[in-house]
RNA sequence: GGCGGCAUAGCCAAGGGGUAAGGCAGCGGUCUGCAAAACCGCUAUUCCCCGGUUCGAAUCCGGGUGCCGCCUCCA
């Protein structure tokens, strides 16, 4: 079964095969580095990170390019406002971007080219358009002539009349046609500029993506991605530039992720409801954010809510609680002989687990093959999680070698998700420790103090002084710690119903 | 106005012609000194409404209604 992806160009799902067998070439529009990134960027980044990881899992070599727009009106404006050099501002937010992406567990693309490093390529591309009569220069500016490119509108599904009827087309006296867009902008005083056949200036926004993607991935490449809101005009213009200049198809598959709203409304600076990735990471574990994004389909609109995040927190905790339980059992047993053919119990309650474990990789792949249905893939994991707990709870469960062997095998299903989806990816001990660190710091509690209280409570319990024991438990609960009495002693963890991490 | 998308339990959400995954929340039970965790059971005869096709539709078609995105910088 092939991987099927929804192609915005054809508006339907299509079986995906790269042009060169075994090698996928993919380009995703990155960010303009003029401000902190928000959770909308995170959604997009996570969606394409999963595509990148899954293609690799499917055995493809992937050349993944994601650009940085490091020269642009917004950067210039902001730099002026802050009175810092524009390239310094760009560098600052580039670093912030990497910091955020790394924190979210997003794998670095193969290449991350910057616009300013590719001015010659862009000039060359513009020249090609001039040569073909698809562009014209006016007063140091160069524009793309939309009316001379007959395929214009094929991605966004618009035609010329509709676009004009939209009426909100910018007025620029230099343009021959209001629909034309800038390929090269003449620099004003104090702005960065590069020499060009049309005079000193800087590139228009769209040209960098078609120039850089084609430089690194070829005239025609496999996947071009980005947010849904980039379809028009950005991606439409990229197609016009690229196909206009080469006469050949540009990207074969266009993949777009859906929009993210916050508490039902679009995030916008004027509303002041933009949640930066930094702020989000202050409140939620990176894997909570990831799981939240992946519990829905990447193309569907998604509403980021506190309530939704609280639900996901509980859900992720459920997985890690089971994982911890499994790991403890596995670690308590000597490593089994890898060559043993033993795969688990064929009778009793373990049989159901064996069946689910066996079926898991195929089911997972079948879900992911269907246009990255991460929600369904995770559904299978939660389903497995339940039968696993069921088995571990069963009175007949023992640490028999064959049981541990099955547990090891089940563990690999979680690892598969961790590898491809990025969650649950952590070692359970590390996961809880990480969550603890932050809460403990914010509450001024230390591990030692918690342990001291637990010890005090344990002796109270031995005395059957339930009042004292409950008092200590309630006190810790109020301070964010949840106790759990087990036959092996009292465990504690950070309460999952808390708002902060 | 144009283009596109979405409507599935209290909430989130997958599915998509053959009789409704999964998560969260709630209630009842098992376990526990009591809790917690986990497990079991219950919670959509029904998938926005109205028509049609079909042996059969939540799934297909037509028509409504509602919400959202894009058409200006935007992931």
């Amino acid at each position: 079964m092939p991987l099927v992806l929804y192609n915005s160009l054809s508006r339907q799902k299509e079986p995906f095969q790269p042009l060169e067998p075994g090698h996928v070439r993919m380009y995703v529009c990155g960010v303009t580095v003029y401000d902190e990134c928000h959770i909308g960027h995170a959604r997009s980044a996570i969606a394409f990170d999963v595509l990148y990881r899954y293609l690799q899992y499917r055995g493809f070599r992937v050349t993944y390019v994601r650009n940085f727009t490091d020269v642009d009106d917004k950067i210039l404006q902001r730099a002026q406002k802050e009175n810092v050099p524009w390239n310094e501002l760009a560098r600052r937010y580039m670093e912030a971007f990497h910091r955020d992406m790394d924190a979210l567990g997003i794998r670095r693309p193969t290449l991350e080219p910057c616009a300013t490093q590719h001015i010659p390529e862009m000039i060359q591309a513009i020249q090609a358009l001039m040569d073909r009569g698809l562009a014209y220069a006016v007063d140091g500016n160069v524009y793309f002539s939309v009316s001379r490119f007959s395929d214009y509108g094929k991605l966004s599904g618009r035609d010329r009349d509709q676009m004009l009827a939209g009426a909100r087309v910018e007025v620029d006296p230099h343009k021959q046609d209001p629909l034309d867009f800038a390929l090269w902008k003449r620099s004003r005083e104090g702005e960065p500029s590069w020499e060009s056949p049309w005079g000193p200036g800087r590139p228009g926004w769209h040209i960098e993506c078609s120039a850089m993607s084609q430089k690194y991935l070829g005239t025609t490449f496999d996947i071009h991605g980005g947010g849904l809101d980039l379809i028009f005009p950005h991606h439409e213009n990229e197609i016009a530039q690229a196909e206009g200049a080469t006469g050949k198809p540009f990207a074969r598959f266009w993949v777009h992720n859906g929009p993210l709203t916050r508490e039902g409304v679009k995030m916008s600076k004027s509303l002041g409801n933009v949640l930066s990735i930094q702020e989000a990471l202050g409140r939620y574990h990176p894997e909570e954010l990831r799981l939240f994004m992946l519990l829905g389909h990447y193309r569907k609109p998604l509403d980021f809510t506190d309530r939704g995040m609280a639900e996901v927190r509980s859900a992720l905790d459920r997985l890690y609680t089971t994982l911890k339980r499994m790991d403890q059992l596995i670690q308590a047993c000597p490593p089994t002989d890898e060559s043993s053919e033993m795969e688990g119990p064929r009778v009793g309650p373990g049989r159901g687990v064996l069946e689910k474990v066996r079926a898991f990789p195929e089911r997972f792949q079948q879900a992911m093959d269907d246009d990255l249905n991460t929600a369904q893939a995770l559904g299978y994991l939660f389903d497995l999680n339940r039968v696993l707990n069921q088995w571990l709870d069963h009175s007949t469960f023992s640490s028999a070698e064959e049981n541990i062997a099955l547990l090891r095998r089940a563990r690999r299903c979680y690892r598969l998700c961790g590898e491809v989806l990025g969650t649950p990816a952590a070692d359970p001990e590390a996961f809880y420790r990480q969550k603890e660190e932050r809460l403990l710091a914010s509450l001024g509690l230390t591990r030692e103090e918690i342990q001291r209280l637990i010890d005090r409570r344990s002796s109270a319990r031995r005395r059957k002084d339930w009042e004292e024991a409950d008092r200590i438990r309630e006190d810790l609960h109020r301070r964010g710690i949840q106790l759990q009495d087990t036959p092996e002693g009292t465990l504690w963890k950070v309460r999952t119903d808390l708002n902060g991490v």
Side-chain angles (χ1 to χ4, degrees):
Chain A
M1 280 287 285
L3 165 63
V4 169
L5 288 177
Y6 181 88
N7 188 350
S8 303
L9 201 52
S10 62
R11 292 184 185 75
Q12 58 190 21
K13 291 182 190 174
E14 294 176 30
F16 174 77
Q17 272 312 319
L19 215 46
E20 179 193 326
H23 184 181
V24 176
R25 291 177 172 86
M26 161 162 110
Y27 184 92
V28 174
C29 290
V31 294
T32 301
V33 278
Y34 75 107
D35 203 351
E36 292 285 333
C37 284
H38 55 69
I39 51 176
H41 297 105
R43 180 183 195 191
S44 185
I46 289 169
F48 288 103
D49 183 53
V50 168
L51 175 58
Y52 181 38
R53 287 165 177 248
Y54 187 60
L55 288 167
Q56 290 175 318
Y57 169 76
R58 280 297 238 123
F60 293 109
R61 176 187 158 203
V62 184
T63 302
Y64 175 20
V65 179
R66 185 181 61 203
N67 71 301
F68 276 117
T69 300
D70 61 344
V71 59
D72 159 277
D73 290 343
K74 289 191 295 268
I75 296 172
L76 268 29
Q77 263 172 33
R78 176 125 185 192
Q80 195 175 29
K81 214 170 94 188
E82 292 187 17
N83 199 27
V84 291
W86 64 275
N87 48 1
E88 195 178 290
L89 185 99
R91 192 166 44 242
R92 186 210 300 169
Y93 286 115
M94 232 179 271
E95 280 165 18
F97 178 82
H98 276 143
R99 174 201 63 203
D100 290 348
M101 293 299 121
D102 290 350
L104 288 170
I106 287 161
R107 288 191 188 161
R108 297 266 178 123
T110 319
L111 290 164
E112 295 183 277
C114 293
T116 54
Q117 303 299 307
H118 297 78
I119 304 292
E121 286 85 349
M122 291 188 237
I123 290 174
Q124 206 174 13
I126 296 168
Q127 189 57 252
L129 289 169
M130 291 287 276
D131 296 344
R132 286 192 159 225
L134 289 167
Y136 56 92
V138 181
D139 207 10
N141 298 290
V142 183
Y143 297 96
F144 184 93
S145 180
V146 166
S147 61
R148 278 177 247 162
F149 181 70
S150 61
D151 267 352
Y152 195 79
K154 71 175 174 182
L155 178 68
S156 55
R158 288 150 214 265
D159 64 43
R160 192 185 156 70
D161 296 340
Q162 287 166 9
M163 287 185 277
L164 283 172
R168 283 197 289 174
V169 183
E170 88 184 74
V171 204
D172 182 339
H174 297 304
K175 290 181 182 178
Q176 291 175 0
D177 184 309
L179 261 30
D180 293 349
F181 57 90
L183 295 166
W184 188 259
K185 296 176 171 181
R186 189 177 75 173
S187 291
R188 284 183 290 254
E189 197 55 35
E191 286 182 351
S193 76
W194 288 265
E195 279 310 314
S196 84
W198 316 284
R202 57 194 171 89
W205 173 37
H206 315 293
I207 194 69
E208 67 175 86
C209 284
S210 45
M212 293 193 287
S213 59
Q214 290 189 306
K215 170 175 179 177
Y216 294 109
L217 302 174
T219 305
T220 302
F221 57 93
D222 301 305
I223 298 171
H224 191 131
L228 206 71
D229 47 1
L230 290 179
I231 288 180
F232 190 87
H234 186 52
H235 290 161
E236 194 68 71
N237 291 353
E238 278 191 59
I239 292 175
Q241 291 160 352
E243 300 191 351
T246 65
K248 292 185 183 133
F250 183 44
R252 302 168 57 233
F253 280 74
W254 285 87
V255 177
H256 293 100
N257 64 277
L260 184 83
T261 50
R262 185 170 178 210
E263 305 289 351
V265 292
K266 182 179 165 159
M267 285 192 291
S268 80
K269 297 215 164 125
S270 51
L271 282 172
N273 65 340
V274 177
L275 184 66
S276 72
I277 294 175
Q278 276 300 295
E279 290 171 306
L281 286 170
R283 279 187 231 172
Y284 308 108
H285 186 100
E287 287 198 23
E288 289 166 355
L289 289 166
R290 233 179 212 272
L291 188 63
F292 179 82
M293 307 285 183
L294 298 177
L295 242 18
H297 189 89
Y298 78 91
R299 279 193 290 114
K300 273 200 165 185
L302 183 62
D303 191 27
F304 189 92
T305 62
D306 284 335
R307 180 176 173 161
M309 283 306 299
E311 290 181 0
V312 161
R313 169 164 296 167
S314 298
L316 185 63
D317 188 68
R318 181 181 179 75
L319 294 178
Y320 273 108
T321 300
T322 304
L323 229 29
K324 192 171 170 183
R325 194 176 181 187
M326 288 167 72
D327 283 2
Q328 278 168 349
L329 285 162
I330 291 170
Q331 279 154 23
C333 283
T336 38
D337 183 6
E338 281 297 320
S339 65
S340 99
E341 285 302 297
M342 194 177 295
E343 60 172 0
R346 277 160 213 287
V347 291
R351 221 191 82 191
V353 177
L354 177 58
E355 276 161 16
K356 297 260 189 211
V357 166
R358 259 193 197 145
F360 187 82
E362 262 175 62
R363 288 186 169 164
F364 179 85
Q365 183 164 323
Q366 155 260 311
M368 293 298 287
D369 274 352
D370 183 15
D371 196 29
L372 307 180
N373 195 337
T374 53
Q376 187 168 72
L378 284 163
Y380 292 136
L381 185 70
F382 279 103
D383 190 40
L384 172 66
N385 196 79
R386 192 191 57 251
V387 296
L388 224 31
N389 276 130
Q390 219 169 318
W391 181 44
L392 295 175
D393 268 4
H394 200 92
S395 56
T396 59
F397 181 83
S398 72
S399 291
E401 207 177 323
E402 62 167 4
N403 288 349
I404 300 301
L406 177 55
L407 233 35
R408 284 206 163 84
R409 206 168 153 190
R411 188 67 177 82
R412 287 205 287 273
C413 298
Y414 289 76
R415 277 206 195 89
L416 170 55
C417 286
E419 176 71 14
V420 175
L421 305 179
T423 188
D427 167 64
E429 296 288 344
F431 175 78
Y432 284 115
R433 205 173 316 121
Q434 196 183 342
K435 289 185 75 159
E436 285 157 22
E437 296 306 334
R438 301 218 226 172
L439 186 91
L440 261 34
S442 73
L443 290 179
L445 270 168
T446 64
R447 263 169 230 291
E448 291 70 31
E449 195 178 344
I450 292 167
Q451 197 51 55
R452 204 159 44 237
L453 287 165
I454 286 177
D455 291 344
R456 185 133 44 96
R457 177 167 170 271
S458 296
S459 57
R461 290 183 73 214
R462 274 192 295 276
R463 290 195 306 273
K464 298 209 190 298
D465 182 354
W466 309 125
E467 218 169 284
E468 168 75 352
D470 291 351
R471 198 190 54 71
I472 294 171
R473 184 173 61 196
E474 272 153 35
D475 176 51
L476 280 168
H477 187 265
R478 250 195 312 279
R479 298 168 77 177
I481 302 300
Q482 179 69 60
L483 295 189
Q484 191 179 337
D485 295 325
T486 75
E488 290 79 37
T490 300
L491 305 176
W492 63 272
K493 72 179 180 187
V494 172
R495 270 169 59 190
T496 51
D497 56 337
L498 252 35
N499 204 29
V501 170

